[in-house]
Amino acid sequence: QVQLVESGGGLVQAGGSLRLSCAASGRTFSNYAMGWFRQAPGKEREFVAAIGRSGIINYYAYSVKGRFTISRDNAKNTVYLQMNSLKPEDTAVYYCAASSVVGTSRYESDYGNWGQGTQVTVSS
């Protein structure tokens, strides 16, 4: 198992930027593919971005592609989500998660470890 803690959420104006971090405990962080999901009030949780174990392969939801960048630093046991050109519809609680899949996955069922979430609010 790996324990995940998100940070970096907050308030930002539309068009602004924010960087989320997800710190992982344990000594086997590089064995996990990582993903970011989000959930807005009254909506189901949705996939945002994923990154493979080595950080070479990444995958994005169409709604954020070109604006968000996922990256990881295995030496620091941390995965990041750089969010640029933020829109009000990006407002949600953002969760990071760890998966044992070989590549990347957009399916919640493939992720066995989840952080507690961090709130991102984008004002218009």
Side-chain angles (χ1 to χ4, degrees):
Q1 293 184 326
V2 59
Q3 189 172 25
L4 307 173
V5 180
E6 301 97 333
S7 63
L11 305 176
V12 65
Q13 289 184 288
S17 298
L18 205 61
R19 188 181 75 162
L20 306 183
S21 298
C22 177
S25 65
R27 303 170 63 184
T28 58
F29 176 70
S30 62
N31 291 341
Y32 298 94
M34 300 295 297
W36 286 96
F37 293 78
R38 67 187 183 186
Q39 187 169 26
K43 296 184 178 180
E44 296 182 352
R45 187 157 56 188
E46 65 175 350
F47 168 78
V48 176
I51 189 167
R53 299 178 182 186
S54 68
I56 297 174
I57 301 172
N58 54 51
Y59 180 66
Y60 299 92
Y62 182 81
S63 61
V64 306
K65 193 170 185 177
R67 299 188 299 120
F68 291 10
T69 302
I70 188 171
S71 62
R72 67 190 296 164
D73 187 338
N74 287 347
K76 297 181 178 180
N77 280 11
T78 303
V79 61
Y80 306 94
L81 185 68
Q82 178 66 47
M83 305 183 293
N84 298 327
S85 301
L86 283 163
K87 305 174 181 179
E89 51 262 45
D90 294 319
T91 295
V93 177
Y94 283 70
Y95 301 88
C96 70
S99 175
S100 297
V101 298
V102 174
T104 59
S105 174
R106 64 176 297 150
Y107 301 106
E108 294 184 33
S109 61
D110 284 334
Y111 292 82
N113 298 87
W114 295 79
Q116 80 291 335
T118 185
Q119 176 71 48
V120 172
T121 302
V122 184
S123 62
S124 60

